[in-house]
Amino acid sequence: MFGRLFKFFALCLLAWVVARWFLKPSQRRNLHELISALAIALLISAGLFCVLYWLGWHNI
């Protein structure tokens, strides 16, 4: 488990360094907006699945 988390952290760090190095500030802003929208969608999806599981829909 620790190895997987470390690989994920290393991949995120590498993506962040590449984005800082190659992208212009306006492109970084657009990338930030995209990642924020994806994070919000992921949280909403996780909440929906938790509610459905709590209501008894175990075969999703």
Side-chain angles (χ1 to χ4, degrees), residues 45-56:
S45 174
L48 180 64
F49 275 99
C50 287
V51 168
L52 289 174
Y53 187 81
W54 181 68
L55 290 174

Side-chain angles (χ1 to χ4, degrees), residues 14-28:
L14 180 66
W16 179 75
V17 168
V18 168
R20 294 274 302 170
W21 194 11
F22 287 117
L23 297 178
K24 298 175 189 174
S26 62
Q27 291 173 323
R28 278 188 247 154

Side-chain angles (χ1 to χ4, degrees), residues 25-42:
S26 62
Q27 291 173 323
R28 278 188 247 154
R29 198 173 314 116
N30 290 340
L31 185 64
H32 181 270
E33 291 173 1
L34 174 68
I35 291 173
S36 296
L38 288 175
I40 291 169
L42 182 62

